[in-house]
Amino acid sequence: MDNKEAKSCANSVLSWEQVSRLNEVLTEVVPVHGRGNFPTLEVRLKDIVARVRSRLELSGIRVKDVRLNGSTASHVLVQDIGWSYKDLDVIFRVDLPHEAEFRLIKDVVLGTLLDFLPEGVNKEKITPMTLKEAYVQKLVKVNTEQDRWSLISLSNNNGRNVELKFVDSIRRQFEFSVDSFQIVLDSMLAYYELAKTPMSQAFHPTVSGESMYGDFSMALSHLRNKLIATKRPEEIRGGGLLKYCNLLVRDFRAASEEEFKGLERYMCSRFFIDFPDIGEQQRKVEAYLQSHFVGEEKSKYDYLMILRRVVNESTVCLMGHERRQTLHLISLMAFRVLAEQNAIPDASCVTCYYQPAPYVRDHNFSNYYVANQNIPTWLPCN
């Protein structure tokens, strides 16, 4: 397959039903919550994207196109697939040859936030640093030979952050086929600016989408049928392990069970290569739960149990004590989730484990009888 055929295979034109859902996403009012006494900003995605793009162009940064990315793009393409979209993830494709472009983009976004402050607020006394502290939840800059991009995430207390990503180059843009979609927004933005009549089935812009997986129709089939497929999971930071378990808890299943038994080992190996320290593992899992299960507290326990099963069955790169340590961490997190929900089950239904005190192995500790046998690290409470 040549490049032209491959590009054609990766692209598709959206139907009216999909364009209609896209219009709902772009015109919905999303609150950007301020810290402290700062007021909540009422933002429509179409407005902030158009203003940021316009100001970047005026500042000398050419925007090649603007795209809706991730779970929101998946929601536009297929509704009611068992997950609700979280972050509103928008990609601006730009050139970032120097450090100056990174700084300019940050200044443009922060300056645009001033437009959304309520009337009566004295904007002259508000500095860009103040706006960053008040409304930006996450600020990321990556500038290496292979990856050049920045991310500005605007806060939302309900987990629906507006995430503006400015991408020059990025090695890996998706984890699984079902989250590989990008929808080009330029025709929609032009329609909002120029059209005088409301959007309808008879009169609406032509909108194209692209699957970074490489095959749009196959990826869309995976999404509709709740199938999990990927390519080269060893390239994904963290191996895609946390997202994979998230799909499993939402009743997605592997497109090929036999293939995924091998892929699970790749995922676990890459996860523990990227996050070798137990503290890093805990922070990563906790952050994932916080950002991907807002309003879905009851699913957290099921998610952690699936994660524990996959780690237990597919981890081959850890020493025995390291593997037990990680499994114990996940078990404790699951138990804490149940405790937070006041959902700890009856004791007769629980298998719990305890760890012998260190002095059990210490022959110098004479006040205790030490059994003349090998005691496993974890003992069942039978």
Side-chain angles (χ1 to χ4, degrees), residues 302-322:
D302 295 334
Y303 172 81
L304 289 167
M305 288 296 94
I306 288 173
L307 176 61
R308 190 187 191 285
R309 175 183 62 76
V310 173
V311 170
N312 186 43
E313 295 177 358
S314 301
T315 298
V316 295
C317 63
L318 296 181
M319 301 288 287
H321 73 280
E322 293 173 324

Side-chain angles (χ1 to χ4, degrees), residues 118-255:
E119 292 184 11
V121 175
N122 187 350
K123 301 178 183 180
E124 294 180 0
K125 294 185 178 181
I126 299 178
T127 65
M129 182 59 69
T130 303
L131 288 168
K132 182 175 86 70
E133 294 299 323
Y135 294 109
V136 174
Q137 184 177 61
K138 187 164 52 177
L139 193 61
V140 179
K141 182 184 74 172
V142 177
N143 189 7
T144 66
E145 287 186 8
Q146 294 179 303
D147 295 294
R148 288 196 302 278
W149 56 272
S150 68
L151 169 70
I152 301 176
S153 178
L154 306 179
S155 301
N156 178 279
N157 295 343
N158 301 317
R160 186 160 292 183
N161 298 341
V162 175
E163 302 223 318
L164 307 177
K165 184 180 285 186
F166 303 87
V167 176
D168 183 323
S169 60
I170 189 167
R171 279 175 294 180
R172 181 83 181 204
Q173 298 192 58
F174 72 98
E175 293 182 271
F176 299 92
S177 62
V178 295
D179 66 358
S180 69
F181 299 103
Q182 295 182 359
I183 298 173
V184 182
L185 300 180
D186 295 66
S187 61
M188 292 290 284
L189 297 175
Y191 186 93
Y192 293 134
E193 183 180 358
L194 302 173
K196 306 298 182 184
T197 58
M199 208 173 290
S200 66
Q201 185 169 1
F203 189 65
H204 64 270
T206 299
V207 181
S208 65
E210 181 178 1
S211 169
M212 311 315 290
Y213 181 72
D215 188 325
F216 192 98
S217 60
M218 181 178 290
L220 191 62
S221 175
H222 291 163
L223 185 61
R224 285 178 172 146
N225 294 293
K226 302 182 77 168
L227 298 176
I228 307 172
T230 190
K231 297 176 179 177
R232 303 178 301 279
E234 66 276 8
E235 293 179 357
I236 308 170
R237 179 163 172 77
L241 176 64
L242 301 185
K243 178 61 178 283
Y244 173 64
C245 295
N246 193 358
L247 292 172
L248 290 177
V249 83
R250 300 178 193 283
D251 297 324
F252 283 69
R253 66 187 191 280

Side-chain angles (χ1 to χ4, degrees), residues 94-108:
V94 295
D95 289 326
L96 300 169
H98 307 106
E99 179 69 24
E101 281 76 17
F102 285 93
R103 289 196 300 268
L104 184 56
I105 283 171
K106 183 178 74 170
D107 292 342
V108 163

Side-chain angles (χ1 to χ4, degrees), residues 307-357:
L307 176 61
R308 190 187 191 285
R309 175 183 62 76
V310 173
V311 170
N312 186 43
E313 295 177 358
S314 301
T315 298
V316 295
C317 63
L318 296 181
M319 301 288 287
H321 73 280
E322 293 173 324
R323 183 170 160 277
R324 289 191 295 270
Q325 188 179 42
T326 298
L327 292 172
H328 175 55
L329 168 66
I330 300 171
S331 298
L332 288 179
M333 294 175 72
F335 193 75
R336 188 171 69 227
V337 164
L338 289 180
E340 289 171 352
Q341 299 170 14
N342 293 320
I344 299 176
D346 182 77
S348 62
C349 303
V350 176
T351 300
C352 62
Y353 295 83
Y354 73 92
Q355 188 173 25

Side-chain angles (χ1 to χ4, degrees), residues 288-304:
Y288 193 90
L289 288 172
Q290 184 177 2
S291 61
H292 290 82
F293 288 86
V294 176
E296 300 177 90
E297 303 302 316
K298 292 183 179 179
S299 296
K300 287 182 178 180
Y301 176 81
D302 295 334
Y303 172 81
L304 289 167

